[in-house]
């Protein structure tokens, strides 16, 4: 007998994204299966957005502690309009950044086809048009909205390669479409445009589109999520403090390396100290935040595997993608509620 919450072992196929693979992936989704696929941000674990049972299996495969709301992925703005209501701000943001690493949380359309389980019973729905050609091909082949959280075990760092997905979810999902490493490397920026009652558009999660670029399009500053949280707040459990958690403790803003530390460097490494480190990986030796974002999750995974005492993380500037990088690092550094050794902390 399987214990509640356990997942039946399945053979997970890994396929290169040719026509036959995309066809198989679309058919798997239509049959209620689970398919991991690359987007420009991170790998997503897709399920048919209209199929509640498939979505329940998706939560089980991830080992999500709760039914956090999911992002519905679409292949066109017209398709997104069937799910959600766009105000002026949302229209502007969609025109400027779609397809791309921006998710909009919007009021649900009256006949929104997304299963209530995927929106955790909220009146809002998160929508995004990914830019990655494999994601676009898959969405077109499937022909409907696909909900897709990051394709990692709950609480683990997001996967930026098919190998990461296989490590976390092998045996628990049907298919992985291997489209290589994801170019952005950080999840999408999430902005809520919930209309007048909620005030200005709010930044729910920093991500692949920098805050400044969004504020330039809106010609106004974004409200902070905390301002929304007090109100009839859209719950964004992805904002849990401890979320992207490796097993190894992180020490942020590190200016030295203790013996036994692993070092996550940025820019010129702490050359005189690096020799003491168990392992050193540089997010970007030339100090490029875009390159750093693309490397963040795979470097965290690799350093976590080095079983160091602590991962020392050099300071990362806060501008551009630095805001999202620092957000993920802060969450990764937040202590787990329970001993982390066996299982990862909470999150999505
Ligand atoms: O880049 C990305 O966004 C990736 C790729 C696969 O598209 N997806 C991703 O999904 O990061 P996930 O499930 O790991 O994170 C989605 C976040 C969660 O923090 C969730 O709470 C929030 O979106 N969210 C979804 N629907 C929401 C809603 N209606 N209101 C507030 N937050 C919502
Ligand atoms: Mg996630």
């Amino acid at each position: 007998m399987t214990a509640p919450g356990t997942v039946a072992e399945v053979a997970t196929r890994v396929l290169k994204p040719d026509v036959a693979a995309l066809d198989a992936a679309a058919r798997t989704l239509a049959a209620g299966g689970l398919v991991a696929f690359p987007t420009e941000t991170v790998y997503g674990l897709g399920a048919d957005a209209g199929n509640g049972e498939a979505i329940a299996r998706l939560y089980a495969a991830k080992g999500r502690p709760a039914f956090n709301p999911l992002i519905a992925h679409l292949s066109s703005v017209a398709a997104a309009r069937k799910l959600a209501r766009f105000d002026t701000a949302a229209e502007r943001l969609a025109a400027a950044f779609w397809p791309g690493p921006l998710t909009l949380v919007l009021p649900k359309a009256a006949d929104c086809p997304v299963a209530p389980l995927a929106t955790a019973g909220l009146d809002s729905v998160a929508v995004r048009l990914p830019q990655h050609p494999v994601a676009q091909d898959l969405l077109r082949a499937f022909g409907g909205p696909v909900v897709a959280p990051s394709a990692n075990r709950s609480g683990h760092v997001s996967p930026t390669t098919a190998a990461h997905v296989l490590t976390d979810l092998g045996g628990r999902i049907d298919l992985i479409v291997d489209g290589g490493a994801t170019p952005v490397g950080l999840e999408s920026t999430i902005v809520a445009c919930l209309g007048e009652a909620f005030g200005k558009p709010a930044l729910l999660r920093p991500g692949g589109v920098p805050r400044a670029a969004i504020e330039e399009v809106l010609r106004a500053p974004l409200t902070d999520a905390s301002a929304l949280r007090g109100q009839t707040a859209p719950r964004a459990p992805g904002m849990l403090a401890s979320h992207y958690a490796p097993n190894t403790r992180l020490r942020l803003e590190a200016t030295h390396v203790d013996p036994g530390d692993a070092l996550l460097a940025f820019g010129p490494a702490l050359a005189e100290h690096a020799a003491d480190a168990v392992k050193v990986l540089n997010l970007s030796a030339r100090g490029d935040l875009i390159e750093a974002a693309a490397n963040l999750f795979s470097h965290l995974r690799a350093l976590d595997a080095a079983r160091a005492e602590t991962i020392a993380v050099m300071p990362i500037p806060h501008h551009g993608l630095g805001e999202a990088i620092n957000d993920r690092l802060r969450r990764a550094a937040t202590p787990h509620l329970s001993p982390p050794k066996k299982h990862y902390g909470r999150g999505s």
Side-chain angles (χ1 to χ4, degrees), residues 94-246:
F97 298 110
W98 279 358
L102 175 71
T103 294
L104 295 174
V105 170
L106 306 175
K108 259 186 187 167
D111 43 6
C112 176
V114 175
L117 182 55
T119 54
L122 299 173
D123 300 330
S124 56
V125 60
V127 287
R128 142 165 150 79
L129 258 67
Q131 193 172 40
H132 198 291
V134 174
Q136 291 193 352
D137 287 348
L138 176 59
L139 290 168
R140 272 194 297 268
F142 176 63
V146 171
V147 286
S150 49
N152 51 278
R153 287 286 199 111
S154 184
H156 204 170
V157 295
S158 294
T160 56
T161 66
H164 295 161
V165 179
L166 194 61
T167 303
D168 268 24
L169 298 174
R172 303 169 75 90
I173 64 175
D174 299 293
L175 181 58
I176 301 171
V177 184
D178 181 356
T182 58
V184 176
L186 282 174
E187 302 89 340
S188 60
T189 302
I190 306 181
V191 174
C193 298
L194 294 171
E196 287 301 298
F198 289 91
K200 293 196 187 66
L203 182 65
L204 298 189
R205 177 176 75 182
V209 178
R211 174 200 290 265
I214 293 168
E215 293 180 335
E216 197 180 310
V217 167
L218 293 175
R219 288 186 229 100
L222 284 163
T223 309
D224 272 346
S226 53
L228 271 180
R229 236 178 272 160
Q231 309 177 22
T232 333
R235 292 171 298 140
M239 300 191 305
L240 286 172
S242 173
H243 184 69
Y244 298 89

Side-chain angles (χ1 to χ4, degrees), residues 311-331:
I311 300 172
V313 183
M314 287 175 65
I316 313 287
H318 207 65
H319 59 83
L321 290 186
E323 181 177 8
I325 295 171
N326 283 317
D327 170 78
R328 302 306 187 275
L329 286 170
R330 259 196 318 278
R331 291 163 194 252

Side-chain angles (χ1 to χ4, degrees), residues 237-329:
M239 300 191 305
L240 286 172
S242 173
H243 184 69
Y244 298 89
N247 275 321
T248 315
R249 207 165 59 85
L250 260 64
R251 183 159 51 79
L252 303 184
E253 311 285 335
T255 51
H256 71 280
V257 178
D258 288 326
D261 282 355
L263 176 64
L264 185 61
F266 177 82
L270 298 166
E272 70 276 30
H273 299 286
D276 288 335
V278 173
K279 187 178 173 87
V280 181
L281 288 175
N282 203 322
L283 289 170
S284 171
R286 62 174 194 271
D288 178 337
L289 288 165
I290 293 173
E291 183 184 30
N295 286 329
L296 179 65
F297 291 137
S298 54
H299 282 11
L300 275 177
R301 277 176 186 260
L303 292 180
D304 198 19
R307 305 203 173 277
E309 194 68 21
T310 302
I311 300 172
V313 183
M314 287 175 65
I316 313 287
H318 207 65
H319 59 83
L321 290 186
E323 181 177 8
I325 295 171
N326 283 317
D327 170 78
R328 302 306 187 275
L329 286 170

